[in-house]
């Protein structure tokens, strides 16, 4: 098995009643860890690169301000390093651009060999969103690339993604959107939130997923639905981070039971980003707590200094900027290896736990390609 169009993985999930965790990664080290744990558990895998991480991979430390040239360089570098991992994998793997916010970046990803791209027109009117998505669908489908879109507006904030106010998906328009946009799968706004502060009383509006699913069934074609902003934000991990010098306030996530409840209603893909970041942060804080000399020597001291200056930061791209070159080139030095090893271990632990919950373990053989 090897790299496959993302739609093949999602259709298998629909046929067999499981969901696939789609894990946001920022570097080849993280991508390698995701592939490795999926191979160990014989699960189909979806790796996602969120658009600002293309700037980080392009060598820009303040990646949110990356130029188009740096973004293009980062996408090319990421694909050059990650595609061989995917092609050699013993399981089906898809690579998706998550929350692409402009057509040019989406097209660059298609041209560089991504399996899927998400074009996020959720902030636009229904008609404008569908037209933008149709533009990318026409381009991507010529190369066998899956297109994901979003209908409705998800609140919360992660990188450039999210809004202050949520607008729920109108389930009665899901079929119309699929038909007019050419999208292969569609993210719903149904109560989940981006970022680590989702609110302690968060409740998924599962009736939105149910209504969308029933409308598709009535119209004779069920297509994959997607759950964004779905990290669990486990309280025990938050407590461990704060006990070791972190300062994460008002952190809460999506209850696992609520995610599992909606899988039978067409939710074939569940996006996970914040949980990856929190797991990495916990591992880093544990390392510096148990290895005092790392706080005062060489490049690790620079990482520790950043963690002290920003106790509320969960973004490993900012905290690990002193070893950015090792991360983006997938080439460790003696100093960087302890940190990149922690990153890989943390990513694998989180992805492995969640993919088992979502029912995809052992399901690699269900994917047809």
């Amino acid at each position: 098995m090897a790299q496959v169009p993302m739609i093949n993985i999602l259709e298998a999930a629909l046929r067999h009643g499981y969901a696939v965790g789609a894990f946001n990664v920022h570097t080849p080290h993280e991508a390698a860890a995701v592939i490795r744990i999926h191979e160990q558990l014989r699960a189909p895998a979806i790796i996602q690169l969120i658009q600002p991480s293309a700037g980080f991979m392009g060598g820009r430390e303040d990646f949110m301000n990356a130029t188009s040239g740096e973004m293009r360089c980062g996408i090319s570098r990421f694909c050059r390093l990650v595609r061989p991992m995917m092609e050699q994998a013993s399981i089906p793997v898809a690579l998706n651009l998550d929350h692409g916010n402009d057509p040019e970046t989406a097209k660059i990803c298609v041209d560089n060999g991504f399996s899927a791209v998400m074009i996020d027109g959720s902030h636009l009117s229904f008609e404008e969103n569908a037209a933008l998505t149709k533009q990318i669908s026409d381009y991507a489908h010529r190369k066998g690339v899956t297109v994901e879109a979003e209908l409705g507006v998800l609140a919360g904030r992660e990188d450039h993604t999210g809004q202050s106010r949520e607008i729920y998906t109108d389930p009665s328009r899901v079929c119309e959107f699929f038909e007019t946009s050419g999208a292969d799968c569609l993210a719903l706004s149904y109560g989940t939130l981006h970022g680590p502060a989702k609110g302690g009383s968060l409740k998924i509006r599962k009736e939105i997923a149910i209504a969308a699913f029933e409308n598709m069934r009535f119209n004779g074609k069920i297509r994959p639905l997607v759950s964004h902003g779905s990290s669990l934000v486990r309280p025990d991990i938050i407590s461990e981070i704060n006990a070791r010098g972190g300062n994460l306030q008002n952190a809460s996530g999506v209850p696992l039971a609520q995610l599992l409840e909606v899988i039978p209603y067409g939710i074939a893909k569940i996006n996970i980003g914040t949980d990856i970041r929190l797991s990495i942060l916990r591992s880093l804080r544990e390392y510096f707590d148990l290895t005092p000399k790392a706080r005062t020597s060489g490049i690790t001291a620079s990482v520790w200094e950043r963690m002290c200056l920003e106790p509320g930061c969960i973004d490993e791209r900012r905290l690990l900027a002193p070893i950015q070159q090792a991360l983006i080139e997938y080439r460790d030095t003696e100093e960087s290896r302890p940190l990149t090893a922690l990153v890989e271990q943390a990513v694998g632990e989180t992805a492995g736990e969640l993919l088992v919950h979502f029912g995809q373990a052992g399901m690699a053989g269900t994917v047809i390609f």
Side-chain angles (χ1 to χ4, degrees):
M1 298 188 185
Q3 184 177 2
V4 301
M6 189 172 75
I7 189 62
N8 295 34
I9 293 176
L10 300 185
E11 287 178 343
L14 281 180
R15 285 195 305 270
H16 295 273
Y18 62 90
V20 180
F23 297 101
N24 282 9
V25 303
H26 307 297
T27 67
H29 289 87
E30 296 176 31
V34 170
I35 292 173
R36 191 177 305 122
I37 192 64
H38 282 73
E39 286 187 302
Q40 291 172 3
L41 296 174
R42 301 298 303 154
I46 299 174
I47 300 167
Q48 300 195 139
L49 185 75
I50 197 164
Q51 187 164 316
S53 289
F56 183 82
M57 284 296 301
R60 184 73 178 256
E61 183 175 336
D62 61 332
F63 47 87
M64 295 297 291
N65 296 312
T67 66
S68 58
E70 289 164 336
M71 298 273 287
R72 183 185 295 269
C73 174
I75 290 167
S76 176
R77 175 182 283 134
F78 188 84
C79 287
R80 174 171 52 82
L81 295 171
V82 172
R83 283 186 66 190
M85 304 177 194
M86 300 170 66
E87 290 164 359
Q88 296 163 19
S90 60
I91 48 139
V93 187
L95 173 60
N96 183 37
L97 171 68
D98 187 30
H99 283 284
N101 60 9
D102 67 88
E104 183 61 26
T105 302
K107 291 176 181 179
I108 291 170
C109 289
V110 170
D111 294 341
N112 274 272
F114 273 57
S115 313
V117 292
M118 184 208 172
I119 186 68
D120 187 355
S122 60
H123 57 288
L124 303 171
S125 69
F126 181 97
E127 291 75 18
E128 292 169 325
N129 187 359
L132 173 63
T133 304
K134 183 68 163 60
Q135 177 188 345
I136 299 305
S137 296
D138 289 345
Y139 189 87
H141 288 166
R142 287 196 292 269
K143 297 192 177 184
V145 175
T146 302
V147 174
E148 177 181 339
E150 182 173 327
L151 185 61
V153 177
L154 207 68
R157 176 62 60 179
E158 190 167 21
D159 284 353
H160 66 275
T161 302
Q163 303 290 330
S164 59
R165 185 171 68 94
E166 183 165 31
I167 301 173
Y168 290 125
T169 301
D170 180 349
S172 70
R173 304 202 76 182
V174 165
C175 291
E176 179 187 357
F177 190 86
F178 271 120
E179 293 304 319
T180 57
S181 71
D184 300 292
C185 55
L186 185 63
L188 301 180
S189 173
Y190 69 138
T192 58
L193 298 171
H194 288 294
K198 301 182 191 297
S201 60
L202 182 148
K203 182 172 177 57
I204 287 178
R205 294 277 304 274
K206 71 176 183 179
E207 63 271 19
I208 293 175
I210 294 171
F213 180 80
E214 292 299 333
N215 283 340
M216 289 190 293
R217 186 158 64 174
F218 179 79
N219 282 277
K221 188 167 185 179
I222 295 174
R223 301 185 185 184
L225 302 175
V226 179
S227 182
H228 282 206
S230 301
S231 285
L232 307 186
V233 191
R234 283 172 39 190
D236 59 310
I237 293 181
I238 299 299
S239 295
E240 289 183 55
I241 290 169
N242 288 344
R244 297 183 186 277
N247 185 25
L248 304 184
Q249 302 297 320
N250 304 314
S252 59
V254 181
L256 175 61
Q258 292 186 31
L259 286 175
L260 300 184
E261 274 187 332
V262 295
I263 291 174
Y265 304 107
I267 299 293
K269 175 172 173 279
I270 299 176
N271 283 17
I272 301 293
T274 299
D275 281 342
I276 294 285
R277 291 174 166 180
L278 293 174
S279 184
I280 291 171
L281 180 59
R282 175 179 64 174
S283 292
L284 288 172
R285 288 203 168 274
E286 181 180 56
Y287 170 73
F288 282 109
D289 199 24
L290 300 178
T291 316
K293 66 179 182 180
R295 306 176 199 168
T296 58
S297 62
I299 204 166
T300 56
S302 299
V303 174
W304 173 245
E305 181 180 4
R306 285 173 176 254
M307 294 175 68
C308 291
L309 289 173
E310 295 189 78
C313 177
I314 68 168
D315 191 336
E316 71 270 27
R317 294 166 298 183
R318 287 165 57 185
L319 299 176
L320 296 175
I323 63 166
Q324 183 174 11
Q325 286 306 117
L327 289 170
I328 68 175
E329 294 174 2
Y330 197 46
R331 185 181 302 161
D332 283 321
T333 65
E334 185 177 348
E335 285 187 298
S336 69
R337 184 56 192 162
L339 298 179
T340 58
L342 287 172
V343 168
E344 291 181 5
Q345 180 180 346
V347 171
E349 288 174 354
T350 296
E353 176 192 2
L354 290 172
L355 74 85
V356 170
H357 284 310
F358 299 154
Q360 71 193 88
M363 291 295 182
T366 65
V367 179
I368 299 172
F369 61 99

